[in-house]
Amino acid sequence: MPKCGACGKFLSKADSIRCNCSAAFHKACVGIPETSSVKGAWVCPGCKIKKPREDNTSTPVKGLTDTYQSTPNSSNNSADNTTEELKVDLVLEIR
Ligand SMILES: [Zn+2]
Ligand SMILES: [Zn+2]
């Protein structure tokens, strides 16, 4: 029986989610509502940190990754973080 990579407790099939690196987590532990089913490939926080550029999903991950934050409204995803930060600064100054 797999254990959650976030909290270390055992997983039940119903509320677990698995990355293709074979790491498994509780949906709750990675910020996914238990009622929502994730279609397609889900990437665990560890894999997101390793290769953020290959990840186009907009799945929010709470707590585990601060380095990668999805921007739902941006059409050009994850190409350059610096531009994104500059945009944020501009928005703040405009306000
Ligand atoms: Zn867990
Ligand atoms: Zn993974």
Side-chain angles (χ1 to χ4, degrees):
M1 203 161 184
K3 284 182 181 179
C4 173
C7 69
K9 293 176 184 172
F10 286 110
L11 290 163
S12 65
K13 210 173 186 181
D15 66 347
S16 67
I17 187 168
R18 214 181 181 111
C19 175
N20 54 18
C21 74
S22 82
F25 299 85
H26 293 111
K27 286 180 182 176
C29 286
V30 287
I32 299 170
E34 284 187 31
T35 50
S36 75
S37 61
V38 176
K39 292 170 185 173
W42 178 82
V43 181
C44 76
C47 288
K48 272 188 180 175
I49 293 172
K50 282 179 202 166
K51 38 184 175 178
R53 291 186 182 192
E54 292 180 19
D55 178 35
N56 290 333
T57 61
S58 59
T59 307
V61 176
K62 292 174 185 170
L64 292 173
T65 58
D66 291 328
T67 53
Y68 177 72
Q69 293 181 340
S70 60
T71 51
N73 291 332
S74 71
S75 53
N76 55 340
N77 41 30
S78 74
D80 41 4
N81 289 331
T82 51
T83 317
E84 210 60 41
E85 287 175 11
L86 286 175
K87 280 182 192 169
V88 172
D89 284 340
L90 285 174
V91 170
L92 287 175
E93 285 184 18
I94 290 169
R95 282 177 185 165

